[in-house]
């Protein structure tokens, strides 16, 4: 069952726009919808060429661990007041965990 809804799609679209703006490298960022996660990555010829982040259907944002796997810890949430932008640095990359 696909748990995608319009509000989530709108928020993710804004998240991709912000990532595109912060990266400022001429590339745009888009999504691929899977069973458990929405993969966010750089678009090349209208296809994802890399995985930058994963977002679950509750809006939790994860850094990508690999092409098909998110890292273990949540970096932010797409439904936060900042639209999930707190999960990425000034350069548009998803933040590593701090401390430890």
């Amino acid at each position: 069952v696909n748990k995608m809804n319009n509000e989530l799609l709108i928020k993710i679209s804004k998240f991709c726009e912000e990532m595109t703006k912060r990266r400022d490298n001429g590339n745009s960022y888009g999504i691929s919808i899977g069973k458990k996660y929405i993969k966010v990555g750089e678009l090349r010829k209208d296809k994802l060429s890399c995985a930058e982040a994963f977002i679950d259907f509750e809006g939790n944002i994860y850094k990508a661990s690999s092409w098909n796997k998110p890292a273990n810890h949540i970096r932010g949430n797409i439904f936060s007041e900042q639209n999930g932008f707190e999960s990425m640095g000034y350069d548009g990359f998803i933040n590593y965990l701090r401390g430890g």
Side-chain angles (χ1 to χ4, degrees), residues 35-84:
K35 291 179 185 174
K36 292 173 77 175
Y37 298 99
I38 297 119
K39 186 186 303 182
V40 179
E42 186 176 303
L43 292 172
R44 297 226 175 121
K45 296 181 182 174
D46 295 328
K47 286 187 171 182
L48 291 185
S49 65
C50 62
E52 299 290 344
F54 287 86
I55 301 172
D56 66 23
F57 293 101
E58 283 75 48
N60 295 312
I61 301 164
Y62 301 83
K63 184 174 184 62
S65 175
S66 69
W67 174 253
N68 286 319
K69 185 178 176 211
N72 291 329
H73 302 288
I74 296 167
R75 303 311 205 273
N77 190 285
I78 208 82
F79 295 111
S80 73
E81 286 184 24
Q82 298 86 16
N83 200 98

Side-chain angles (χ1 to χ4, degrees), residues 2 5-7 11 18 24-25 27 30-31 33 56 70 72 74-75 78-79 82 87 91-92 96:
N2 193 336
N5 65 46
N6 284 341
E7 186 181 5
K11 294 279 191 180
E18 185 66 17
D24 194 28
N25 60 6
N27 299 322
I31 64 169
I33 302 168
D56 66 23
N72 291 329
I74 296 167
R75 303 311 205 273
I78 208 82
F79 295 111
Q82 298 86 16
S87 68
D91 57 2
Y96 285 94

